[in-house]
Amino acid sequence: MEISARNGLKGKVEEVTLGTVMANIHIKVEEPGVITAAITRESAEKLGLKVGDEVSAIIKSTEVIVGKEL
Amino acid sequence: MEISARNGLKGKVEEVTLGTVMANIHIKVEEPGVITAAITRESAEKLGLKVGDEVSAIIKSTEVIVGKEL
Amino acid sequence: MEISARNGLKGKVEEVTLGTVMANIHIKVEEPGVITAAITRESAEKLGLKVGDEVSAIIKSTEVIVGKEL
Amino acid sequence: MEISARNGLKGKVEEVTLGTVMANIHIKVEEPGVITAAITRESAEKLGLKVGDEVSAIIKSTEVIVGKEL
Amino acid sequence: MEISARNGLKGKVEEVTLGTVMANIHIKVEEPGVITAAITRESAEKLGLKVGDEVSAIIKSTEVIVGKEL
Amino acid sequence: MEISARNGLKGKVEEVTLGTVMANIHIKVEEPGVITAAITRESAEKLGLKVGDEVSAIIKSTEVIVGKEL
């Protein structure tokens, strides 16, 4: 199945911490990739984003889904 | 200001598409980094996640924040 | 109060697991409903989405809000 | 690939609306399923959630990922 | 209906911008309130969060739901 | 670094609860501010949102990022 979530970064699990309800997974990403961000136009203009800009893609841990070939 | 969102991947803007309300930003990420995923324990166990596993960190574009030094 | 979140699926709680900070709730959904997804146009085109397609609506557990009549 | 996002509801696309950056997809869900919600323990206690409660699973459209067999 | 999303800030709509698929709403918040953040323990420790700290609650626009009495 | 997330509300930490994986932070917000919500146009029209409306900005705790000057 192909999914609409555009950002998939390959990596290796470095650490797994299990709580009662949640788990914290550290993934070491080594391959380069492209990240797509859908932000408001207002934000893009306020930051003056243009091709070539050095930026950071910032993601809250609770938003990351983990995929694995079983 | 330091923020709690743990995942910050450095990259370069490759494409900017502006709509009326939203904007789509492509960011080319080349440096390696570590991504932290907070998932349910149920999911971690169902996937059998353990150190060394090859996985993908999957992120919906609407969840990505863009940071830039102004 | 009416809210902008368009997707509300009625169901019955099947399981409640309490951690220190988080709780995991299983909800059995039996009534049919309509789910609205706001995805990037790029993703819609890459998947070639069109009326009649068989698809899955995929949602991370951390994104689900629970509502209950008190 | 198996993914950690636990909630996958099967349905049929009923409507596709394309904007410049975003697209709006209506998915008619007819099969019953189980939805897992990860909420704070505080919320679970405030709502007094327990097995058998009639509840709604509420999801913002921007949080829904679409999957399709290609 | 009571919902599990704990953060509800009352305000007045200042601006509405409609796109084809999305809309951008500015809400002026004047009443004080309490915001609950569920972050990873790692982040809380890295920031050294403790009672009395001056902090910012940062929220991406796509994560905000709007409620209105109809 | 400036970030695209438009909503930043200043406040004071009132309570910190640590779990194994997650932490729950209560932030008392006293200064007024403007919150931007990016919702679907459908939702904006269904709620009939217009300038001057009294509304609530509703945010799930897992979506809140905490920022602090270190």
Side-chain angles (χ1 to χ4, degrees), chain F residues 12-25:
Chain F
K12 198 168 280 198
V13 174
E14 282 199 329
E15 197 184 300
V16 175
T17 309
L18 298 179
T20 311
V21 167
M22 298 294 284
N24 198 358
I25 316 294

Side-chain angles (χ1 to χ4, degrees), chain D residues 6-24:
Chain D
R6 297 300 305 278
N7 302 306
L9 297 162
K10 287 183 184 169
K12 197 169 280 199
V13 175
E14 282 199 329
E15 197 185 299
V16 175
T17 308
L18 298 178
T20 311
V21 168
M22 299 294 285
N24 199 358

Side-chain angles (χ1 to χ4, degrees), chain F:
Chain F
M1 192 172 65
E2 203 67 26
I3 63 173
S4 63
R6 296 302 305 281
N7 302 307
L9 296 163
K10 286 182 185 169
K12 198 168 280 198
V13 174
E14 282 199 329
E15 197 184 300
V16 175
T17 309
L18 298 179
T20 311
V21 167
M22 298 294 284
N24 198 358
I25 316 294
H26 286 200
I27 301 166
K28 175 86 184 194
V29 174
E30 296 198 81
E31 282 181 43
V34 172
I35 290 191
T36 300
I39 63 177
T40 59
R41 182 186 174 130
E42 277 185 345
S43 295
E45 289 176 341
K46 199 176 168 191
L47 292 177
L49 291 179
K50 57 184 186 308
V51 174
D53 280 359
E54 303 281 354
V55 296
S56 291
I58 300 164
I59 303 135
K60 195 168 192 264
S61 303
T62 46
E63 308 298 351
V64 181
I65 293 169
V66 181
K68 181 181 160 186
E69 301 291 343
L70 292 187

Side-chain angles (χ1 to χ4, degrees), chain B residues 14-38:
Chain B
E14 282 198 330
E15 196 184 301
V16 175
T17 309
L18 298 178
T20 311
V21 168
M22 298 294 284
N24 199 357
I25 316 294
H26 287 198
I27 301 165
K28 174 85 185 196
V29 174
E30 297 198 80
E31 282 181 42
V34 172
I35 289 189
T36 301

Side-chain angles (χ1 to χ4, degrees), chain B residues 4-69:
Chain B
S4 63
R6 297 303 304 281
N7 302 306
L9 296 163
K10 287 182 185 168
K12 199 169 279 198
V13 175
E14 282 198 330
E15 196 184 301
V16 175
T17 309
L18 298 178
T20 311
V21 168
M22 298 294 284
N24 199 357
I25 316 294
H26 287 198
I27 301 165
K28 174 85 185 196
V29 174
E30 297 198 80
E31 282 181 42
V34 172
I35 289 189
T36 301
I39 64 176
T40 59
R41 182 183 175 132
E42 277 185 344
S43 295
E45 288 176 342
K46 198 172 168 194
L47 292 178
L49 291 179
K50 57 185 187 305
V51 174
D53 280 358
E54 304 281 352
V55 296
S56 291
I58 300 165
I59 304 135
K60 194 168 192 266
S61 303
T62 46
E63 309 298 352
V64 181
I65 292 170
V66 181
K68 180 181 160 186
E69 300 292 343

